[in-house]
Amino acid sequence: MSMDDVYELMARSQELPYGEARTVLIEDALRRAEAAGDDVLAFHVRVRLTDAYRYGGEPVKAFATFSRTLADHDRDPARFDETHSLLWQMKAVVSSLTSFPEIPLDRAYAVLDDMERRYKAAGHSLQAVYHYRNVVARHIGDDSAHEWFVKWRAAERDELSDCEGCDPTGMARHLVEAGRHEEAFEIAAPVLSARLSCNEQPQSIQTALLPVYLRMGRLEEAAAAHRRAYRVHRARLADLGDIAEHLEFCAITGNGARGLEILQRHIGWLDRAPSAHADMEFSAAAALLLGAVEAAGHGAATVRRPAAGDRPAADVPVPGLRAELADRATKLAARFDARNGTSHQGDKVRATLGAEPVVDFLPLAPHHRRPAPAPAPRVPSADDSAPAGDLASVDDLGELLDVVERRRADGDLPGMLAAFRRFDAVAETTEPTPFQKARRLDGRGVELAVEGDGQGAARCWEEASRLYAELGEETRRHRALGRLGAMRVDLGDEGGLEQVLASAEHLTAHPGEDGDATAALLRLATAQLGLDRPAEALAALERVDTGDAPDRAGELWFLRGQALLRTGDADGAVAALRRSADAARASGEPETVASPGLLLARTLARREAGPDEEVFALLDEVLAVLPPSPMRAVAHCDRGLALLAADRPADAVADLAEAIAAWTAEGMREQAVHLRVDLAAAYLAAGRHLEAAETAEEAVPGLDGDPARRCRLILAHAQKEMGEEDAAATFADLAEDAAKDGRHDAVAHFLEEAGGVLTALDRDAQAAARFAEAAEANEKAGDPYGVVRTRRRAAMCLLWSGDADEAVAVMDTARAALAGLPPDNEPARVWETALVSYDQARVLAQLGRLPEAAAHASAAADGFTTLDETDAAEEATRLHNDLKASLG
């Protein structure tokens, strides 16, 4: 058995995150080392395997490997010498021993005593020993926890103390359990801005501070800590206990939907929980969350629970799963308490199950909150019409119907409805005339239309028009007929157009009163636009006598602007919409500027030059007058998209978030989902990568086709900027999609991005494979520059992964590909050749082929110098001089 196999497996394992895949490689390496009879190598592999078990979510297995390595070390310290690693691992062993109720507590105390003896013998501070005595005392609820805490804080730190992030995290947890939240924050605060490289930080301290932030009223910081910490925890089985804290956080902050999403993602982990303690914590927090969901009225929801053992996959109702998990947590706590001789773990579980909300709702992102309040209603001025007065004394049905029509004409909807209510009350004792019945039925149609009952309104107008016909009221009949036809068109019945047309023809020929003809023609133009007949709409508008109803000029120009847009006359439309907006401003009813202002802004924003200051001024004006409504959401959406198009992404975020919040509140889910993609793009461009990633992840499940691909691309770049390994997989998925469409250039680009991500994470062997695949895609795409570049990058990754021989071979293929570069771009050819020469020199130098390496370094320096690339030329020259010096 070759020892090279063991070293190769260990090297490959270092490229993987802690988890099953990494553990399997190290276990294989251990088997090979043992089979080869190399006890020392097996010892060192076993030490690494202890860490793999611990961080990979299998701490119970770490007991055996740690015991074996410690025994080997004690038997022959000079031969099995990893003293520091073993002393460090003792801390985790103590903590893990408390997490399994079947392990006697005496074992933990014995390890603590042994740990103290070894630390003293090696001359180390007892700071870490005091820390873990505190951990055990807190676990059982012993009063000595405070004494150990005081010693822990007072003792001097050394190289065996937990890192600068984990040590304050442990102290903060002690203080939180003691209810000393301000002190916990003071200890943790300096660490929050520090750059921490520990495997458990900064997510652990962010999670520990969740209750601190909430109790101190630092709600925005609580939301940010939850989002940032959970994003790391969610990929780690070993962090199931930490994930429980995030479930509880969601339950007590009104984030039931988010909590259900987390529970759904991790419920299957309970079947392979890293410890009984983590199982207990997760079950209790999940039961609390499910109880909150049930209390919010969503008890009919289900959670998909994956199959495990003899249990099939099933959609489990929330109430049943809540009861099961609460019982599970309670029974596990009882086992711990029986082992510990205290009620502490049971008390903690009961406290979790009974936790009360801290806030009704804590938005976790700007677009999660409820929409911002609209501007306050306009206060009537002295110039406004005087109120109509109390209707309680009016008993004349005809007079009440006249009041209805006056108030409707004035746009006083509440006043109109009040007059209708009074009419109905009087009609209970006074029989209306047939004419009054027809008028009331006509008005009832208006009421139903306002309420959104189009079918009901149409039925009323149809009956009213029939009654008017019987009474010989032709003008009123054609008014009702016009309303009926317009409603039918709105409901998708093209036959209604004939009624609108008949109404317009009659009322233009026989206007009953001022404005009848104009109203009928505007209604006809609106119906024609509804049927996408802009030319016919324009023809109807041309027939309007502007002197008939001057107060409707704004509406006239607005309809004309819409029709011109439909015909492709953008300039004419802009002019018409400007006149409409001017008429609205002059009307004394500023809120009427919203429709023309919004459409004008949208039209101007679509011009080739993009949004300008007029666009933003219009949208500001519109938002200043609109009440909460879908139109207000559209205005925020348009302003956000305009700001994004104007390369002002940071400014765009607030408007896009407001639009999403409004649409979500209105139940307009599809619009909200699609706009999340633009919000994610704004976050990304503004450098807010976490928000970009989370917003994109929210949107992806509701998308398909091109929007889904765009969203995943935003997600990939956000993950890349945050240094997340998932970025490589997301780019690879995008490459796979592009391959299905035969877009080889896109395949090459995405695979190269994936390789770059893996390179930055020191996953060099995996990166080399991605670059090699990218090179093949570049060949298919006919991109010779891409072929050279990705082959060269693949070779360098092979070198960094320890496979220098293969790196030489791949670099030779990169040099061969230089022959395929186009001859008409000499600077590009020289640049690529110089890069290949420089990197080839580095590869050959690693193999000790110094004369060849020196020649390539010299060629690289010459090439960079030819292009006046001073920095690159100096770097290549330094490499050449170093190689010459090595050659003597």
Side-chain angles (χ1 to χ4, degrees):
M1 184 68 63
S2 171
M3 290 301 98
D4 290 342
D5 294 339
V6 176
Y7 291 123
E8 180 185 351
L9 286 168
M10 294 302 293
R12 284 169 54 194
S13 75
Q14 297 302 307
E15 293 209 343
L16 297 174
Y18 283 109
E20 185 177 1
R22 179 169 180 156
T23 300
V24 166
L25 286 179
I26 301 176
E27 287 175 334
D28 190 13
L30 178 58
R31 282 191 294 270
R32 292 170 185 260
E34 289 175 334
D38 192 327
D39 293 342
V40 173
L41 181 58
F43 167 81
H44 291 298
V45 173
R46 202 173 281 113
V47 171
R48 303 287 85 76
L49 186 55
T50 297
D51 288 335
Y53 284 145
R54 175 192 170 200
Y55 292 119
E58 299 178 286
V60 71
K61 293 183 178 180
F63 296 148
T65 54
F66 175 75
S67 297
R68 172 68 183 275
T69 50
L70 188 63
D72 287 344
H73 170 76
D74 288 346
R75 187 175 68 254
D76 191 346
R79 189 167 178 235
F80 302 105
D81 183 19
E82 282 218 34
T83 305
H84 182 275
S85 295
L86 294 172
L87 292 179
W88 184 275
Q89 288 176 346
M90 290 189 86
K91 299 183 296 181
V93 169
V94 171
S95 182
S96 296
L97 286 170
T98 64
S99 298
F100 298 89
E102 63 273 20
I103 299 177
L105 203 58
D106 288 346
R107 290 262 312 265
Y109 289 128
V111 174
L112 276 170
D113 292 342
D114 187 33
M115 180 177 166
E116 182 169 343
R117 179 184 62 78
R118 292 174 186 272
Y119 276 43
K120 285 180 177 177
H124 291 294
S125 166
L126 295 184
Q127 197 254 11
V129 177
Y130 298 146
H131 176 181
Y132 284 89
R133 288 196 183 279
N134 168 270
V135 167
V136 175
R138 281 195 290 119
H139 171 75
I140 64 175
D142 190 88
D143 291 340
S144 65
H146 176 68
E147 298 173 19
W148 293 120
F149 176 75
V150 172
K151 290 184 177 182
W152 171 16
R153 289 196 67 180
E156 184 179 353
R157 286 176 51 82
D158 69 0
E159 67 266 25
L160 286 176
S161 298
D162 281 359
C163 79
E164 62 179 6
C166 291
D167 217 38
T169 298
M171 293 180 182
R173 288 194 177 280
H174 170 90
L175 292 168
V176 167
E177 289 186 19
R180 296 156 62 182
H181 297 101
E182 291 79 6
E183 293 177 67
F185 180 76
E186 290 175 6
I187 282 181
V191 183
L192 296 173
S193 58
R195 294 182 62 86
L196 305 171
S197 58
C198 170
N199 182 65
E200 298 179 40
Q201 297 298 346
Q203 66 273 15
S204 290
I205 198 163
Q206 290 167 339
T207 299
L209 286 180
L210 290 177
V212 174
Y213 287 136
L214 289 178
R215 269 62 184 189
M216 294 180 68
R218 307 173 78 106
L219 300 184
E220 290 186 6
E221 291 166 275
H226 161 68
R227 287 164 41 237
R228 292 181 182 279
Y230 173 68
R231 190 167 188 85
V232 180
H233 288 314
R234 69 180 186 177
R236 303 182 178 194
L237 174 62
D239 293 357
L240 187 64
D242 297 277
I243 292 170
E245 297 183 65
H246 291 271
L247 280 177
E248 181 174 354
F249 172 84
C250 290
I252 62 177
T253 58
N255 284 285
R258 166 79 164 183
L260 270 182
E261 174 191 325
I262 294 173
L263 177 59
Q264 182 66 77
R265 182 179 290 132
H266 301 292
I267 184 67
W269 285 11
L270 270 183
D271 298 310
R272 50 194 182 102
S275 69
H277 196 266
D279 186 331
M280 177 188 71
E281 290 182 311
F282 186 90
S283 297
L288 171 68
L289 184 279
L290 291 169
V293 170
E294 193 174 355
H298 304 294
T302 60
V303 175
R304 184 68 176 175
R305 194 171 193 177
D310 296 332
R311 188 192 70 221
D315 293 317
V316 186
V318 162
L321 185 58
R322 177 192 57 76
E324 177 191 336
L325 294 178
D327 181 65
R328 179 179 183 133
T330 302
K331 288 179 177 176
L332 283 168
R335 291 177 60 200
F336 277 108
D337 287 345
R339 190 270 307 267
N340 299 337
T342 69
S343 64
H344 187 65
Q345 293 300 316
D347 293 341
K348 290 181 67 176
V349 165
R350 285 184 285 276
T352 298
L353 293 174
E356 295 290 334
V358 176
V359 293
D360 289 338
F361 175 61
L362 171 59
L364 301 180
H367 59 282
H368 290 167
R369 55 167 175 65
R370 298 175 176 96
R378 182 172 63 96
V379 178
S381 67
D383 297 330
D384 289 337
S385 300
D390 185 8
L391 297 174
S393 61
V394 181
D395 294 325
D396 185 285
L397 295 176
E399 183 181 346
L400 287 167
L401 290 171
D402 290 341
V403 172
V404 166
E405 293 185 357
R406 285 197 303 272
R407 292 184 177 182
R408 184 172 66 191
D410 291 341
D412 180 8
L413 182 60
M416 181 193 76
L417 295 176
F420 272 138
R421 300 288 79 78
R422 177 60 184 164
F423 177 95
D424 294 340
V426 174
E428 291 179 1
T429 57
T430 303
E431 179 67 21
T433 66
F435 181 47
Q436 290 170 344
K437 288 180 180 178
R439 291 177 69 185
R440 179 64 185 97
L441 197 59
D442 194 354
R444 180 59 180 156
V446 175
E447 286 184 274
L448 291 172
V450 169
E451 293 170 5
D453 183 0
Q455 295 286 359
R459 287 192 295 271
C460 287
W461 286 324
E462 185 172 22
E463 179 63 13
S465 66
R466 186 188 65 78
L467 292 174
Y468 284 139
E470 291 178 356
L471 295 167
E473 292 285 341
E474 285 301 305
T475 296
R476 288 184 179 275
R477 182 174 83 85
H478 280 92
R479 288 179 192 159
L481 203 64
R483 296 187 188 106
L484 169 61
M487 181 58 73
R488 288 177 61 191
V489 171
D490 279 348
L491 294 172
D493 180 1
E494 293 189 22
L497 183 62
E498 294 181 11
Q499 293 170 320
V500 181
L501 185 58
S503 171
E505 293 301 329
H506 178 86
L507 292 174
T508 52
H510 310 89
E513 56 186 60
D514 289 346
D516 261 348
T518 297
L521 289 169
L522 293 179
R523 188 179 294 119
L524 175 60
T526 302
Q528 297 283 19
L529 284 173
L531 295 172
D532 200 20
R533 299 176 180 176
E536 289 88 339
L538 287 170
L541 295 171
E542 290 293 339
R543 296 171 59 189
V544 174
D545 178 0
T546 55
D548 178 48
D551 60 320
R552 303 193 71 170
E555 186 180 354
L556 168 67
W557 286 110
F558 179 56
L559 289 169
R560 184 172 180 80
Q562 293 181 73
L564 290 169
L565 276 178
R566 302 274 188 91
T567 64
D569 183 0
D571 291 338
V574 165
L577 292 170
R578 283 199 173 112
R579 294 190 64 171
S580 176
D582 288 342
R585 295 185 187 104
S587 69
E589 299 176 352
E591 63 274 8
T592 60
V593 79
S595 294
L598 188 56
L599 185 56
L600 176 57
R602 181 175 292 179
T603 303
L604 293 172
R606 289 173 179 166
R607 289 182 166 179
E608 186 175 350
D612 57 14
E613 288 308 311
E614 182 183 6
V615 169
F616 297 118
L618 283 164
L619 291 170
D620 290 347
E621 182 181 20
V622 167
L623 284 165
V625 300
L626 277 176
S629 63
M631 183 181 283
R632 184 174 178 83
V634 169
H636 277 299
C637 172
D638 283 4
R639 189 166 68 177
L641 293 176
L643 289 165
L644 193 57
D647 199 23
R648 294 168 58 185
D651 297 329
V653 163
D655 277 300
L656 295 174
E658 192 69 52
I660 293 169
W663 274 334
T664 301
E666 292 282 345
M668 302 169 72
R669 181 180 178 277
E670 184 175 353
Q671 291 90 331
V673 167
H674 280 80
L675 194 58
R676 278 190 177 94
V677 183
D678 295 296
L679 177 59
Y683 278 136
L684 182 65
R688 296 170 63 175
H689 304 124
L690 172 64
E691 290 95 332
E694 294 211 325
T695 304
E697 287 173 339
E698 288 177 5
V700 163
L703 300 169
D704 54 25
D706 288 339
R709 281 189 282 272
R710 179 189 174 215
C711 191
R712 287 161 58 210
L713 182 59
I714 293 169
L715 172 60
H717 281 290
Q719 292 170 327
K720 172 185 173 183
E721 292 298 330
M722 291 189 291
E724 292 185 353
E725 188 173 2
D726 286 346
T730 308
F731 278 122
D733 288 343
L734 287 165
E736 187 175 337
D737 283 352
K740 294 174 183 175
D741 299 334
R743 296 181 293 120
H744 301 297
D745 56 339
V747 173
H749 171 74
F750 293 137
L751 288 173
E752 189 168 2
E753 285 280 11
V757 169
L758 292 166
T759 299
L761 294 170
D762 291 330
R763 308 280 196 262
D764 297 312
Q766 298 171 58
R770 288 301 185 208
F771 286 130
E773 294 168 2
E776 294 177 8
N778 277 317
E779 286 185 283
K780 294 177 181 177
D783 179 3
Y785 296 105
V787 172
V788 173
R789 182 181 62 254
T790 47
R791 286 183 179 177
R792 175 176 57 79
R793 296 188 74 180
M796 292 308 297
C797 287
L798 287 167
L799 175 67
W800 296 326
S801 71
D803 195 348
D805 290 331
E806 184 62 19
V808 169
V810 173
M811 192 65 79
D812 285 340
T813 68
R815 179 165 293 280
L818 290 169
L821 297 180
D824 57 350
N825 191 343
E826 183 65 10
R829 187 192 65 77
V830 172
W831 171 256
E832 294 295 340
T833 302
L835 286 174
V836 170
S837 295
Y838 179 76
D839 284 344
Q840 195 161 21
R842 297 162 70 191
V843 171
L844 292 169
Q846 190 70 23
L847 284 175
R849 294 164 60 177
L850 301 185
E852 297 169 80
H856 285 302
S858 177
D862 292 343
F864 291 137
T865 300
T866 299
L867 297 174
D868 291 328
E869 293 288 346
T870 306
D871 291 344
E874 290 177 354
E875 185 65 30
T877 299
R878 277 195 294 272
L879 175 60
H880 180 243
N881 291 338
D882 289 344
L883 291 168
K884 285 172 57 180
S886 297
L887 286 167

